[in-house]
Amino acid sequence: MYLCRTKINPSKYEIYIYLTILLTFCCSCTGQKNTEVTINNPEKPLTFKMVTPPEILTQPLDRAAYLVEHYWDNFDFSDFRYTKAPEVTEQAFVDYLDILPIPAYEVSSKSIQRMLQKAEVDSGMFSYFTGLYEKYLYDPNSPFRNEEFYIPVLEVMLASPIIDDVKKNPSSLSTGTGPKKSDR
């Protein structure tokens, strides 16, 4: 007597159907979880949007001066996440340094000062950018080294309420152009 001697031997088609159902179920659960994360954490992607000079400016020096003066107009200095995204922020900063020497020094100097004053909205952001200026304009190994452009940075740092008086001490500056090597 054999009640149920039939050996269960599913066909390939049945296995395919079971796997499809299982995968569909697993994927739908995972998709719901990701949707919740997106809803609970709706952060905008970090990008840098460069300004475009008006078409009326046709001379290269005028266009460069406009770019330098308005380069940081679209940047959100209050979003600290930019300090953790060097692929966006540091690259934009290097591109800025690349065009700084083109217009007159006064234009570039004022632009540097205005940019750092905007960065004072957040002490971390201010510290991040002053560090970038030191790295690129004051470091002797930097291809962008330019002590003249570093002077406006120091002027803003000395006037800034963010930096405490100990760091503003003139004895920590070497002839008004930057920190001594022994202070680093």
Side-chain angles (χ1 to χ4, degrees):
M1 241 191 207
Y2 296 101
L3 291 173
C4 189
R5 292 255 326 157
T6 314
K7 191 175 181 181
I8 299 176
N9 195 6
S11 68
K12 290 181 184 179
Y13 179 72
E14 290 172 332
I15 293 174
Y16 176 74
I17 290 175
Y18 291 125
L19 284 176
T20 303
I21 292 171
L22 180 66
L23 286 173
T24 304
F25 177 75
C26 290
C27 290
S28 67
C29 291
T30 305
Q32 289 175 353
K33 187 180 283 186
N34 286 341
T35 304
E36 289 175 16
V37 170
T38 304
I39 291 170
N40 292 335
N41 194 6
E43 294 181 356
K44 64 179 181 178
L46 297 176
T47 59
F48 180 80
K49 184 179 179 206
M50 185 170 334
V51 296
T52 305
E55 291 182 21
I56 195 165
L57 297 176
T58 57
Q59 297 299 315
L61 284 177
D62 295 338
R63 294 177 69 78
Y66 182 89
L67 278 177
V68 166
E69 289 173 340
H70 298 279
Y71 193 85
W72 298 101
D73 286 358
N74 297 324
F75 187 78
D76 183 6
F77 286 96
S78 65
D79 191 346
F80 189 73
R81 293 180 304 143
Y82 279 106
T83 63
K84 305 293 184 200
E87 69 278 3
V88 175
T89 311
E90 192 165 350
Q91 184 59 55
F93 182 80
V94 169
D95 293 343
Y96 172 67
L97 292 181
D98 199 33
I99 60 173
L100 266 181
I102 299 171
Y105 173 77
E106 294 77 25
V107 172
S108 298
S109 175
K110 294 284 186 215
S111 174
I112 291 169
Q113 291 173 337
R114 192 171 38 257
M115 180 266 207
L116 284 173
Q117 288 164 350
K118 287 180 180 181
E120 284 180 325
V121 73
D122 180 83
S123 61
M125 186 70 76
F126 184 77
S127 177
Y128 176 75
F129 277 109
T130 55
L132 286 179
Y133 276 113
E134 181 178 353
K135 175 182 175 181
Y136 285 100
L137 295 180
Y138 189 70
D139 187 318
N141 298 317
S142 172
F144 291 100
R145 181 180 170 90
N146 187 325
E147 290 182 354
E148 284 187 39
F149 285 144
Y150 195 57
I151 291 171
V153 175
L154 292 174
E155 290 171 349
V156 172
M157 289 172 68
L158 287 172
S160 175
I162 291 177
I163 297 180
D164 62 7
D165 290 335
V166 173
K167 291 181 183 175
K168 290 181 185 179
N169 185 353
S171 66
S172 69
L173 302 176
S174 62
T175 65
T177 58
K180 293 180 187 175
K181 290 184 181 179
S182 62
D183 290 343
R184 286 187 187 184

